[in-house]
Amino acid sequence: MARIIVVTSGKGGVGKTTTSAAIAMGLAKKGHKTAVIDFDVGLRNLDLIMGCERRVVYDFVNVINGEATLNQALIRDKNCNLLYILPASQTRDKEALSQEGVGRVLDELKKDFKYIVCDSPAGIEKGAHLAMYFADDAFVVTNPEVSSVRDSDRMLGILASKSYRAEQNLEPIKEYLLLTRYSPERVKLGEMLSVEDVQDILSLHLLGVIPESKSVLNASNSGTPVILDEKSDAGQAYGDIVARYLGENRPHRFIDDQKGFFRKFFGSK
Amino acid sequence: MSTDSQKTPKTPMVLEFKSSTFSVPVLVVASDDLAVIEQQLQEKTSLAPEFFKNSPVVLDLQEINKRGYDIDIVALTDTIRKAGLLPVGIRGGNVQQNKQALELLIPVYSMHSGSVSVENKKQKTIVPVIETKTDVDVGIETDATATTLITQPIRSGQRIYAAGDLVILSQVSAGAEIMAEGNIHVYNILRGRALAGVRGNSEARIFCFDLQAELISIAGNYKISEDLDESVRNKPVQIYLQDQALIIKDIVLPH
């Protein structure tokens, strides 16, 4: 059975698209045929992060409107042939999305794909609502600061009450917490909420912590999902998250200050 | 979008009947005096205008018929519409009333078994009783005497309204709002707003395991987070009203 995963947060700029790209790539690399959809119609970003912006011909809205078939619009990833991207339209707005249309596209994708990752736009309006409406699992991306945590809490409330699963009284959406841009050093200084603080407020299953890392920006700029940078801490953290999601038991990393021995000696940052 | 029926010989099904359950407030009317009804409705709805604005409502005429009053359905529905509510059905009406309702295209519902009878001796004789109003987020049974039990977390932005007592086993997040006409029990952390006795029951109490609330209120007497004494914060407490003042007291838990 295909599973629909929504990557959501409420707040903008917390790393939804980075996460969507990374976990979609991670799932595909593990041998699962995966599609990733950009729901941020009007502000497309996913294709840039996935490095396929030059190959966009048709988009999600075209498929919904019947102007292109799904196969015409899906872009096969250059790094992994099990990964496909359905880009957002830059020229339309979120009003172009309809519940019926989104449902139709997802149903069609479900026939062929194991995982469908929906990259939600920020906010709680139509685009975000439609991105999560049909989801089976939700990855709630949160930064360790109060406003992001509050917005995630709001989004969790919406997931629990306004989704298809909630409306049909089905088993609720499975919710997972992803804490991004985490810096143990700043937590120590009291500048950031700790994992425990966030867990205390959201009481949610922690899927993983992604450390604040230069590699994320580098990956975005070069158009390769950060999970492919296996040497980087963020890449490894996403690798752990995908493995845990698929049922592997991996201990959490990047939570404590692991300033290494060499760094202590040489004082590099 | 239009369907091109010439191209496709057989039009695909565009309709589907589905069974779905809605939680709709029931308005028990116990008087035939339209002026009184109008005035009391106004008072009720002005307490929470957003709550009642365009809210669907089923009219319960059982009480009125029991008392032998006769009421004109056309005039009654007009009055209710004027108050901003949308009548979507009647129940407990007599033959004449049911006929009138159907002429107004208002469906007639039967009084199902174990119907809700509002026996409230404290109430004055003629009160249009608004039994319950639920937010879209969480459906609640429409029985004024029932206890509403909630086991899933109440997240920021969610609102819960219970006509009787409200028992919550999970946490109530900051930015959430829980309201009950009776008592509120939160066997977890209370971070949001909690309002007990919202219809004026000053005997109502709030109990919680860990008080971190943004606001607490009993029968309209409230305290905001800033006014909470540090000695009661993060503690299991009960909150009640004494001489118009909110008293917050530790509950000493057995160890």
Side-chain angles (χ1 to χ4, degrees):
Chain A
M1 231 347 238
R3 281 197 87 78
I4 300 175
I5 302 168
V6 61
V7 178
T8 187
S9 69
K11 199 172 167 64
V14 295
K16 282 184 294 299
T17 302
T18 299
T19 300
S20 300
I23 61 158
M25 178 61 82
L27 289 166
K29 281 276 183 197
K30 290 259 184 188
H32 304 290
K33 195 170 179 191
T34 303
V36 55
I37 308 176
D38 190 350
F39 272 79
D40 206 350
V41 175
L43 292 166
R44 49 178 252 227
N45 286 154
L46 181 70
D47 50 333
L48 289 170
I49 303 230
M50 300 290 300
C52 65
E53 74 278 8
R54 293 187 190 171
R55 292 188 287 147
V56 174
V57 184
Y58 294 109
D59 58 52
F60 191 20
V61 172
N62 292 137
V63 179
I64 285 176
N65 291 344
E67 295 149 4
T69 66
L70 199 48
N71 283 333
Q72 286 175 306
L74 283 170
I75 302 168
R76 182 190 287 217
D77 186 79
K78 56 182 186 246
N79 293 302
C80 181
N81 60 11
L82 286 174
L83 178 61
Y84 290 79
I85 299 114
L86 185 54
S89 168
Q90 184 103 57
T91 52
R92 307 293 291 270
D93 62 31
K94 269 128 194 130
E95 292 309 306
L97 297 175
S98 67
Q99 187 162 305
E100 181 270 331
V102 171
R104 198 159 23 84
V105 173
L106 289 175
D107 276 344
E108 209 179 326
L109 285 168
K110 270 164 121 177
K111 289 180 203 153
D112 204 22
F113 288 88
K114 182 77 205 309
Y115 292 103
I116 301 155
V117 178
C118 301
D119 180 23
S120 172
I124 52 172
E125 280 75 44
K126 195 172 183 186
H129 183 254
L130 286 174
M132 70 86 197
Y133 185 74
F134 295 100
D136 301 305
D137 300 312
F139 286 14
V140 178
V141 182
T142 306
N143 285 171
E145 52 96 17
V146 279
S147 64
S148 172
V149 173
R150 176 73 67 93
D151 288 0
S152 292
D153 193 56
R154 178 90 173 90
M155 187 45 84
L156 286 162
I158 295 171
L159 288 168
S161 61
K162 308 240 162 90
S163 63
Y164 178 79
R165 281 177 173 266
E167 285 177 11
Q168 302 292 321
N169 261 327
L170 301 171
E171 195 188 318
I173 295 177
K174 277 212 186 76
E175 301 155 344
Y176 300 93
L177 175 64
L178 270 73
L179 204 53
T180 53
R181 309 193 70 165
Y182 195 74
S183 161
E185 291 159 43
R186 295 188 62 194
V187 172
K188 229 184 207 172
L189 293 170
E191 297 171 353
M192 236 182 216
L193 296 178
S194 69
V195 176
E196 292 78 32
D197 293 337
V198 178
Q199 284 278 74
D200 184 44
I201 299 172
L202 294 179
S203 54
L204 206 60
H205 178 73
L206 179 71
L207 199 56
V209 171
I210 292 96
E212 172 84 75
S213 169
K214 273 192 291 189
S215 56
V216 171
L217 191 61
N218 291 341
S220 299
N221 288 339
S222 67
T224 42
V226 68
I227 198 168
L228 294 176
D229 184 357
E230 284 164 16
K231 287 202 192 80
S232 74
D233 45 2
Q236 290 175 19
Y238 277 116
D240 284 356
I241 280 170
V242 171
R244 280 189 206 110
Y245 174 70
L246 293 173
E248 244 179 80
N249 195 359
R250 289 198 187 179
H252 282 286
R253 297 194 274 170
F254 314 109
I255 291 179
D256 299 318
D257 193 355
Q258 286 176 340
K259 214 174 200 188
F261 165 85
F262 282 102
R263 289 188 173 185
K264 266 187 201 150
F265 270 86
F266 300 107
S268 70
K269 55 165 196 142
Chain B
M1 258 196 270
S2 66
T3 322
D4 193 351
S5 53
Q6 273 138 345
K7 226 192 240 166
T8 45
K10 226 174 127 190
T11 317
M13 270 311 282
V14 293
L15 297 174
E16 188 183 357
F17 276 105
K18 280 188 170 172
S19 175
S20 194
T21 319
F22 296 90
S23 187
V24 177
V26 174
L27 184 67
V28 180
V29 186
S31 164
D32 60 349
D33 188 336
L34 287 173
V36 174
I37 292 172
E38 184 172 2
Q39 190 212 332
Q40 294 196 5
L41 259 181
Q42 217 82 63
E43 282 168 18
K44 287 276 173 246
T45 53
S46 65
L47 291 176
E50 280 305 309
F51 233 58
F52 289 111
K53 193 176 166 196
N54 295 332
S55 165
V57 65
V58 170
L59 305 177
D60 187 326
L61 304 175
Q62 209 184 26
E63 201 59 27
I64 222 175
N65 291 327
K66 218 191 272 171
R67 296 180 189 199
Y69 298 132
D70 194 26
I71 196 157
D72 182 41
I73 300 297
V74 181
L76 178 63
T77 50
D78 267 356
T79 307
I80 285 158
R81 286 208 181 94
K82 242 186 264 167
L85 297 166
L86 301 171
V88 293
I90 69 162
R91 69 176 190 188
N94 59 30
V95 180
Q96 171 66 21
Q97 288 161 344
N98 289 351
K99 198 175 150 235
Q100 268 192 311
L102 286 173
E103 278 165 9
L104 292 168
L105 304 178
I106 292 175
V108 175
Y109 293 96
S110 62
M111 299 290 298
H112 45 75
S113 56
S115 70
V116 189
S117 66
V118 180
E119 293 282 335
N120 202 334
K121 294 188 181 75
K122 270 179 252 161
Q123 260 147 23
K124 283 165 231 131
T125 41
I126 343 163
V127 188
V129 182
I130 293 162
E131 283 180 6
T132 184
K133 172 70 183 88
T134 67
D135 183 64
V136 281
D137 283 350
V138 178
I140 289 155
E141 288 302 313
T142 57
D143 188 334
T145 56
T147 296
T148 305
L149 175 72
I150 294 194
T151 53
Q152 76 268 41
I154 315 292
R155 301 289 186 182
S156 173
Q158 286 184 305
R159 299 171 84 191
I160 304 292
Y161 189 100
D165 283 4
L166 180 58
V167 177
I168 297 175
L169 301 182
S170 38
Q171 63 170 18
V172 179
S173 292
E177 194 168 68
I178 54 173
M179 285 173 280
E181 291 174 17
N183 304 301
I184 292 177
H185 304 252
V186 181
Y187 297 103
N188 211 312
I189 304 170
L190 170 59
R191 292 199 175 92
R193 298 161 161 250
L195 298 91
V198 287
R199 286 185 61 219
N201 180 4
S202 53
E203 299 291 305
R205 293 187 178 206
I206 298 171
F207 304 86
C208 70
F209 257 28
D210 185 344
L211 180 68
Q212 301 180 24
E214 294 172 319
L215 179 144
I216 45 168
S217 160
I218 291 171
N221 298 274
Y222 69 92
K223 257 189 186 170
I224 54 172
S225 178
E226 233 179 47
D227 301 337
L228 295 180
D229 198 88
E230 282 307 319
S231 66
V232 294
R233 219 182 272 274
N234 300 92
K235 293 235 171 66
V237 294
Q238 63 162 321
I239 301 153
Y240 57 94
L241 208 54
Q242 201 169 60
D243 304 326
Q244 301 294 306
L246 278 183
I247 310 290
I248 307 175
K249 244 193 176 153
D250 275 26
I251 305 175
V252 182
L253 296 173
H255 289 287

